[in-house]
Amino acid sequence: MTRSGGRSRVGRGGVRPPVGTGPWLGREIELDVGPVAHGGHCVGRHDGRVLFVRHALPGERVLALVTEDGGGSYCRADAVRVLTASPDRVEPPCPHAGPGRCGGCDWQHATADAQRAGKAAVVREQLSRLAGLPDVPVVVEPLPGGLLGWRTRVRFAVDADGRTGLRRNRSHTLEPVRHCPLGTEGVAASRVGERRWPGAGEVDVVASTAGDRAILVLPSSAPRVAGTRGAAAVVEGPPVVREVAAGREWRVAAAGFWQVHPGAADALAGCVLDFLRPLPGDTALDLYAGSGLFAALLADAVGPTGRVLAVEADAAAAADARANLAGSPAAVHVRQSRVTPGLLGGLGLNPDLVVLDPPRAGAGRDVLAALVALAPRAVAYVACDPASCARDLRVALDAGWELRGLRAFDCFPMTRHVETVALLCPAS
Ligand SMILES: C[S@@+](CC[C@H](N)C(=O)[O-])C[C@H]1O[C@@H](n2cnc3c(N)ncnc32)[C@H](O)[C@@H]1O
């Protein structure tokens, strides 16, 4: 990767349809760029308004093209020319990156260190603003491997001619993409981008850490549900793939959830166990359990005198969790259910430890309130969205709990996304 500087044009000339009817739409504004904010952009100010500027870095002076202006207090813009470059700026290694181009990555133009520093700043800011915790030290830890070639799962969108692409930022328009450099070699070997997919809306490639490969197709007529592969059908490869983490193999439905980065499951599981410090005989609860990663490791730790209950809404994932928990030394039970305050209140269980790993929207106020009412010794909260996590933490803090630990992991290099694990305990 080469550093780039000077007065350079950013990207390779993509076209992004403007959004909104505000007065600044389409304007080019020269401005100084401030800190990274949640959402994959930096904050700038001009004439009393806030601009969320993509493709820029803190400290840069850029020419920003306003791409969205709803007429409110802020608008969105792309840095289309860098007038004073940050020393953290590099040439994006992906030919699809840049203003108006692929929306899958946010930080292709930043060094690895700068990407992680920006994400750490976002986590700190969310904890300060939404959880009322202004002084939490946050370091985003890298996972093994580099910035490219880490995605074991890639979802391509498909155009009317059956060709693959990736969506542009905040748009349904496709950037034609045959090969995503974030994908692993297994994803590339599927050659999904070199084929036509008539009638498909999306094509998913799953290239598991154990070497299994499956391709799933979501018909163009099917409703799109962000973050799920639910209605997608496996058209090639096994319906269930094997994954490797924590020194063992796991079965996971090809359409189900598993951490996308090959090092993420290990890193998060290690952190959860380190935070919770399970003891023989403990009772543990794994909420939003997926295929049972945390539940199985907790079951090993609490041993034959301990108990583990895993709760997961998706039927296929719950079935995988049962298979992955079979043979655990502890008394284990997988409950296929949504996590609700009613469910938690009616468990008739006083867990010593809880891990929860909800989807992007977080667990929510009512679930958190019901959870702290169970009075466990410690809760590990795994989150893929620092804003949802901070809002949920606030509920526990208001109930007299303390944040005793926080680690963050760069599970999604080049993108805005960051994974955090928070340790919550009742105030001593
Ligand atoms: C981020 S994944 C975590 C999975 C697992 N902990 C892992 O690390 O592999 C979130 C899981 O929550 C499940 N889920 C989503 N909403 C749910 C709800 N309301 N109640 C229970 N499970 C839910 C999803 O099916 C998914 O398996």
Side-chain angles (χ1 to χ4, degrees):
M1 212 182 287
T2 54
R3 280 179 191 279
S4 63
R7 296 169 73 90
S8 56
R9 196 83 195 169
V10 176
R12 298 164 179 88
V15 179
R16 172 145 169 21
V19 178
T21 55
W24 287 13
L25 194 63
R27 263 179 76 174
E28 288 195 334
I29 296 168
E30 198 176 309
L31 80 166
D32 292 321
V33 176
V36 175
H38 191 34
H41 43 236
C42 297
V43 182
R45 286 171 206 283
H46 182 77
D47 270 358
R49 292 183 81 192
V50 171
L51 282 93
F52 295 131
V53 188
R54 280 172 65 76
H55 310 286
L57 290 172
E60 290 188 329
R61 185 156 185 85
V62 302
L63 188 68
L65 169 69
V66 177
T67 53
E68 279 188 46
D69 183 5
S73 60
Y74 72 91
C75 46
R76 295 179 190 275
D78 284 346
V80 290
R81 188 179 289 275
V82 181
L83 306 173
T84 311
S86 160
D88 294 328
R89 178 168 282 275
V90 293
E91 188 64 32
C94 176
H96 301 289
R101 305 294 300 275
C102 176
C105 289
D106 307 286
W107 300 115
Q108 286 260 348
H109 57 288
T111 63
D113 285 350
Q115 292 187 24
R116 292 198 306 277
K119 295 182 197 199
V122 168
V123 174
R124 270 195 301 276
E125 198 245 349
Q126 299 300 306
L127 287 172
S128 172
R129 208 162 55 79
L130 300 172
L133 294 169
D135 303 316
V136 181
V138 181
V139 174
V140 174
E141 302 169 39
L143 296 188
L147 298 177
L148 302 175
W150 55 267
R151 259 193 176 277
T152 59
R153 285 150 169 78
V154 175
R155 169 170 295 180
F156 291 96
V158 178
D159 70 13
D161 294 327
R163 291 195 175 89
T164 57
L166 292 170
R167 292 187 206 285
R168 293 181 172 153
N169 185 51
R170 299 174 58 80
S171 167
H172 291 298
T173 312
L174 294 197
E175 167 80 10
V177 176
R178 308 284 170 258
H179 166 72
C180 170
L182 261 51
T184 58
E185 283 176 13
V187 168
S190 72
R191 299 188 177 280
V192 156
E194 290 157 40
R195 299 191 243 166
R196 295 280 192 104
W197 301 92
E202 290 174 343
V203 180
D204 285 359
V205 188
V206 176
S208 86
T209 42
D212 295 336
R213 197 160 66 226
I215 297 178
L216 296 87
V217 168
L218 186 75
S220 56
S221 52
R224 263 187 354 111
V225 185
T228 75
R229 293 186 170 81
V234 178
V235 296
E236 281 182 34
V240 174
V241 298
R242 297 162 303 147
E243 296 285 357
V244 178
R248 56 163 282 191
E249 232 172 56
W250 307 79
R251 60 166 272 161
V252 182
F257 177 89
W258 188 258
Q259 286 291 340
V260 169
H261 192 293
D266 266 336
L268 298 175
C271 179
V272 165
L273 291 181
D274 188 45
F275 273 175
L276 292 181
R277 301 194 176 279
L279 299 171
D282 274 345
T283 296
L285 201 51
D286 179 2
L287 305 177
Y288 311 90
S291 304
L293 171 70
F294 301 133
L297 299 178
L298 285 167
D300 289 347
V302 301
T305 54
R307 294 169 69 187
V308 176
L309 172 64
V311 183
E312 164 59 43
D314 180 71
D320 288 341
R322 282 185 196 106
N324 288 325
L325 283 157
S328 287
V332 292
H333 181 64
V334 177
R335 180 130 167 204
Q336 191 210 327
S337 166
R338 288 177 60 77
V339 175
T340 63
L343 175 103
L344 295 176
L347 284 178
L349 197 71
N350 293 110
D352 300 292
L353 304 170
V354 179
V355 54
L356 74 160
D357 183 7
R360 192 161 297 281
R365 165 168 293 278
D366 296 344
V367 165
L368 256 290
L371 188 55
V372 297
L374 295 177
R377 188 169 78 229
V379 171
Y381 187 135
V382 183
C384 59
D385 184 282
S388 312
C389 175
R391 273 190 290 270
D392 284 350
L393 292 192
R394 186 67 247 166
V395 180
L397 299 176
D398 286 343
W401 283 51
E402 289 173 354
L403 179 68
R404 293 271 178 83
L406 186 109
R407 285 178 71 187
F409 298 93
D410 197 10
C411 296
F412 311 93
M414 299 290 199
T415 78
R416 72 190 76 172
H417 300 294
V418 57
E419 198 84 16
T420 54
V421 186
L423 171 65
L424 289 162
C425 299
S428 40

